[in-house]
Amino acid sequence: MRAPVALSPAAPGLVVIPAGRARSNHAEVARSLGTAIIAGRYPAGAKLPGDGELLGAFRVSRPVLRESVKTLVAKGLLTTKARVGTVVRERAAWNMFDADVLAWHLEAGIDRRFLRDLAEIRLAVEPAAAALAAERRTPDDLAALEAGLARMRAEPSDSDGFADGDLALHVAVAVASGNP
């Protein structure tokens, strides 16, 4: 079941798609902090609160908090330094292809900058993928492409069905390109 999409009352112009609950304590803490960073509550260069404050806020053990911070460091959102603390990295350092980072963007709300960045990467990648798909497609690939298009044609452009068809078409192009 798809989570409802809503406009953010706190930040007009943002679309918020709630994410599911994380599976472990450290994943939940990483999700909460990651979403807060992406939403700008901790801007680039800001120090996170100290361990004591975070331990109290999340009600987790020190190892769980450390694992959460290590996760965010690996995703490029944070850096840790002795005698400095845990600091938010600039957006350019974030691993924007990481599934969690993308999900946290959706949870934090999609703004114009995110949409512009997404459109730019699509312009860079999709024409090449389509060209490869045209050269390499199999009959099964062609059937999947046609099915995605048929779904889009059968649904109103602002419906979930249209979005599902659009996604199916893009996935079919990627598969047909032969490049994993």
Side-chain angles (χ1 to χ4, degrees):
M1 181 173 185
R2 181 175 290 166
V5 176
L7 294 177
S8 170
L14 289 181
V15 175
V16 178
I17 303 171
R21 181 156 166 77
R23 300 196 196 295
S24 66
N25 283 344
H26 100 267
E28 181 61 26
V29 172
R31 184 199 62 76
S32 294
L33 287 172
T35 302
I37 291 166
I38 289 167
R41 286 191 287 281
Y42 298 109
K47 276 181 52 174
L48 287 188
D51 283 2
E53 189 176 337
L54 291 174
L55 291 170
F58 289 109
R59 296 183 178 155
V60 295
S61 66
R62 192 171 301 278
V64 167
L65 179 62
R66 287 190 177 153
E67 187 66 27
S68 303
V69 169
K70 281 203 273 187
T71 296
L72 295 172
V73 167
K75 294 176 185 300
L77 276 70
L78 295 174
T79 185
T80 59
K81 292 184 182 175
R83 290 184 253 187
V84 173
T86 304
V87 178
V88 176
R89 294 183 70 190
E90 66 283 351
R91 190 171 188 268
W94 301 353
N95 180 357
M96 298 299 277
F97 291 109
D98 181 270
D100 289 332
V101 174
L102 287 171
W104 298 338
H105 270 90
L106 295 176
E107 188 173 347
I110 301 169
D111 60 10
R112 290 185 189 275
R113 179 180 182 185
F114 182 83
L115 290 174
R116 184 200 68 221
D117 292 348
L118 182 61
E120 288 173 356
I121 195 69
R122 286 181 67 179
L123 286 172
V125 172
E126 287 180 350
L132 289 171
E135 291 175 9
R136 299 174 176 171
R137 62 138 175 94
T138 66
D140 287 343
D141 293 329
L142 189 55
L145 291 162
E146 290 171 346
L149 279 172
R151 179 89 189 261
M152 291 171 66
R153 288 183 181 127
E155 301 283 346
S157 64
D158 61 349
S159 70
D160 285 349
F162 183 91
D164 290 341
D166 183 58
L167 177 60
L169 176 67
H170 283 86
V171 169
V173 168
V175 169
S177 76
N179 185 322

